[in-house]
Amino acid sequence: MINLFENFDRDTLDLLRSQKTAGFNIPTVVINDDGFLPKDVTSPINHYCEFDNIENPLYFDKLPVPKFWRIEATAQSGIIYDIDRRRADIYFHKVDNSRLVKQVNWLDESGKIAWSDHYNHSGQKYAKTIYYNGNPVLKKFFNKAGKVVIIEHLVSGDIDLYENHQQIHFNDIVDFIIYYLKSNNYQLDHILYNNLNVPFRVSIRLDQPGRDTLFWHESWQPEMPGNMQYIINNSTRTKHIIIQRYRDWTKTKELVKLNQQNVDFHYLGMIYPHPRGNRLSSNALITTNSDQIEHLDEILQAMPNLHFNIVATTQMSDKLLAYAKYSNVDLYPVASYQKIKNLLSDCDVLFDINHGPELLDTVRAAFEQNMLIVSFKDTIHSPRYISPGNIFDTKEITQMEQKITTALNSVEVMKKIIDTQRIDASEVTIDQYKRTLKIISKT
């Protein structure tokens, strides 16, 4: 049994962490390696490029640039200048605002991308993507000695591997992945995958029997994806489909019962980390990088018993700074990542009521901290982690206040609200997880 994932995104991390929390340590292969995979996760790129296990990342100020060129950086990205000419854009690995170099896009004289250099967790430049007229056409991967070991032709899709002084040609990435899996002796009797692109095609094209499982974490659309319909209507290696979103499962479980001739359907959500419980304190949190906060004046006046911590990673406008006049408001402009983490640990209510982008994945972080999360229909950022009963119309400030006040005054009410919040976010127990994985492992 192996995990075969296309990308290592948040949903994949949740799936892998849930498995491990439930006691299942399954070998995991990720197809698209960005150079920063966890130590217990591998990839074909990791294998052939010979990544070091020692983490010695490249910080932006250590990036080699020509003499007299300079680097200017914020917490999110950087720019390389030759006097006043922009020569390259630097992109960081998004972890704790540490400004570790992940990718550098070098620009031609017209300002278009000429090539990209890719760096891993050891500071190794392991790949280069070549562009033509602003479009990626070729990607080369290097080993530790700087020798080309893989060439990916991005237009045609074929791949060349240089191994043991030989060139091996693959018509596409699926053939390349199958070669890698077989040559490294992975157990391919049961593949767990969560993407209907390359991992699904690997499962279909494998020339050996097996019983695979699709973990489906995307929102359920009115119609099933075409590849899922193919699995349902044909006898393939995929014998199990796991629906991971609770709300989608409740809407479709009757439908899927009618489609179990070639596969069986199960619901299995995630096991989330919760470092603490809700303490029913009056500390509330609002995160924002704008001064557009829905009905903030009305909320402050309607809830004088709450203490509001309003935090931004940027400078605050005069409009927002004016809220310091309220005795139940503390403002934190240009807050550090650590300060935001501390506030998430100290507060028990999150108001997701700012317009504009979500700040630092705050809603997910608040969910893990078992904070009561409330939002307006027009400001909601991550509906996955907010119960529908905690999402209000902009005119329902009184109802919002009543829900929060009632919860903060009763351990039983707060527990019920947080339990519902967790169920709506597709949380399951360790025992539930173990039971379902044991079922699909045996059938």
Side-chain angles (χ1 to χ4, degrees):
M1 177 184 289
I2 68 163
N3 290 316
L4 181 62
F5 303 137
E6 184 151 352
N7 302 297
F8 198 78
D9 52 19
R10 166 54 66 78
D11 292 301
T12 299
L13 172 60
D14 285 339
L15 174 54
L16 184 60
R17 182 165 51 192
S18 297
Q19 290 177 359
K20 291 183 177 297
T21 303
F24 295 88
N25 292 305
I26 303 170
T28 300
V29 173
V30 170
I31 294 169
N32 297 322
D33 187 347
D34 69 350
F36 285 84
L37 295 177
K39 291 181 180 180
D40 55 351
V41 175
T42 191
S43 72
I45 302 306
N46 185 311
H47 175 75
Y48 294 114
C49 293
E50 303 172 336
F51 285 7
D52 288 324
N53 288 327
I54 300 173
E55 294 195 12
N56 187 25
L58 178 66
Y59 287 87
F60 80 98
D61 59 347
K62 303 300 180 183
L63 181 70
V65 297
K67 193 173 182 180
F68 302 122
W69 289 22
R70 75 183 191 280
I71 299 174
E72 294 184 1
T74 65
Q76 287 76 39
S77 61
I79 302 173
I80 300 174
Y81 287 101
D82 173 11
I83 306 178
D84 60 350
R85 175 173 290 181
R86 188 177 191 149
R87 290 294 190 177
D89 295 320
I90 306 171
Y91 297 92
F92 301 143
H93 177 55
K94 297 184 183 302
V95 54
D96 295 353
N97 290 344
S98 297
R99 297 198 283 188
L100 310 179
V101 177
K102 180 178 180 180
Q103 182 173 322
V104 181
N105 291 347
W106 294 92
L107 310 178
D108 61 20
E109 296 301 318
S110 66
K112 293 181 178 179
I113 302 176
W115 76 89
S116 297
D117 290 331
H118 306 269
Y119 294 84
N120 64 17
H121 59 76
S122 296
Q124 173 187 345
K125 186 168 72 175
Y126 71 95
K128 173 181 284 190
T129 302
I130 309 299
Y131 287 73
Y132 179 74
N133 285 336
N135 298 310
V137 296
L138 193 74
K139 191 169 186 178
K140 298 179 179 180
F141 296 87
F142 314 100
N143 62 15
K144 288 188 294 184
K147 183 178 179 181
V148 175
V149 291
I150 301 171
I151 297 179
E152 184 176 3
H153 303 268
L154 301 176
V155 177
S156 62
D158 54 326
I159 294 174
D160 293 308
L161 171 66
Y162 297 88
E163 184 181 33
N164 299 324
H165 306 290
Q166 291 183 329
Q167 178 183 351
I168 307 173
H169 182 78
F170 304 96
N171 290 326
D172 61 18
I173 192 170
V174 176
D175 286 346
F176 172 60
I177 297 301
I178 291 175
Y179 171 83
Y180 162 77
L181 294 173
K182 288 185 174 181
S183 61
N184 284 275
N185 299 315
Y186 283 101
Q187 294 295 321
L188 302 178
D189 58 321
H190 193 166
I191 297 176
L192 311 181
Y193 64 100
N194 65 347
N195 183 287
L196 284 169
N197 188 22
V198 177
F200 163 74
R201 291 157 57 200
V202 169
S203 173
I204 290 291
R205 203 179 294 181
L206 270 173
D207 56 355
Q208 61 190 75
R211 301 183 65 83
D212 299 339
T213 300
L214 167 64
F215 284 79
W216 188 248
H217 60 262
E218 297 182 29
S219 182
W220 196 271
Q221 301 298 321
E223 294 185 1
M224 291 183 183
N227 285 343
M228 188 181 294
Q229 292 183 31
Y230 180 87
I231 294 171
I232 292 171
N233 296 327
N234 296 274
S235 179
T236 69
R237 280 178 51 112
T238 300
K239 304 302 181 185
H240 315 279
I241 296 178
I242 305 292
I243 306 300
Q244 293 191 272
R245 293 201 177 197
Y246 175 74
R247 298 179 209 176
D248 292 331
W249 172 253
T250 59
K251 296 175 185 177
T252 60
K253 59 184 177 182
E254 295 303 321
L255 171 64
V256 300
K257 286 179 181 178
L258 303 176
N259 293 280
Q260 303 212 55
Q261 179 178 351
N262 294 305
V263 295
D264 56 44
F265 285 83
H266 302 269
Y267 164 69
L268 185 63
M270 276 70 70
I271 303 172
Y272 293 106
H274 294 290
R276 69 172 178 93
N278 193 293
R279 295 180 290 259
L280 284 73
S281 75
S282 60
N283 290 321
L285 178 65
I286 299 173
T287 61
T288 182
N289 270 345
S290 79
D291 57 13
Q292 302 302 308
I293 303 176
E294 189 71 33
H295 287 305
L296 182 56
D297 287 283
E298 293 88 341
I299 288 173
L300 294 176
Q301 294 165 14
M303 308 179 199
N305 293 327
L306 285 183
H307 186 86
F308 289 84
N309 299 274
I310 304 176
V311 60
T313 58
T314 60
Q315 294 286 352
M316 290 182 174
S317 69
D318 291 340
K319 175 183 176 181
L320 201 53
L321 290 172
Y323 284 98
K325 67 183 180 182
Y326 287 92
S327 60
N328 62 332
V329 172
D330 277 333
L331 300 173
Y332 299 93
V334 199
S336 66
Y337 180 79
Q338 186 59 49
K339 181 61 181 178
I340 296 173
K341 285 181 65 176
N342 291 342
L343 287 170
L344 283 162
S345 297
D346 293 340
C347 296
D348 285 311
V349 182
L350 176 75
F351 286 81
D352 180 32
I353 58 174
N354 66 294
H355 290 277
E358 181 183 2
L359 183 62
L360 296 177
D361 210 10
T362 304
V363 176
R364 167 62 185 261
F367 169 80
E368 292 187 0
Q369 296 286 340
N370 283 316
M371 296 170 65
L372 167 55
I373 308 171
V374 295
S375 185
F376 290 119
K377 294 176 182 177
D378 296 334
T379 63
I380 187 168
H381 290 96
S382 297
R384 183 172 180 176
Y385 305 110
I386 308 178
S387 292
N390 297 341
I391 301 171
F392 299 88
D393 187 84
T394 52
K395 298 179 181 179
E396 297 179 326
I397 295 175
T398 300
Q399 291 89 327
M400 179 185 283
E401 184 274 330
Q402 288 174 347
K403 171 155 252 182
I404 294 170
T405 300
T406 302
L408 292 177
N409 288 330
S410 170
V411 173
E412 291 77 14
V413 172
M414 181 65 82
K415 181 180 185 304
K416 184 177 180 180
I417 290 175
I418 297 301
D419 286 347
T420 301
Q421 184 171 276
R422 288 163 66 162
I423 291 171
D424 285 337
S426 309
E427 181 157 0
V428 295
T429 66
I430 292 177
D431 287 341
Q432 288 172 310
Y433 211 94
K434 287 181 176 179
R435 284 198 300 270
T436 302
L437 249 62
K438 286 178 179 178
I439 289 172
I440 67 171
S441 298
K442 296 177 181 178
T443 58

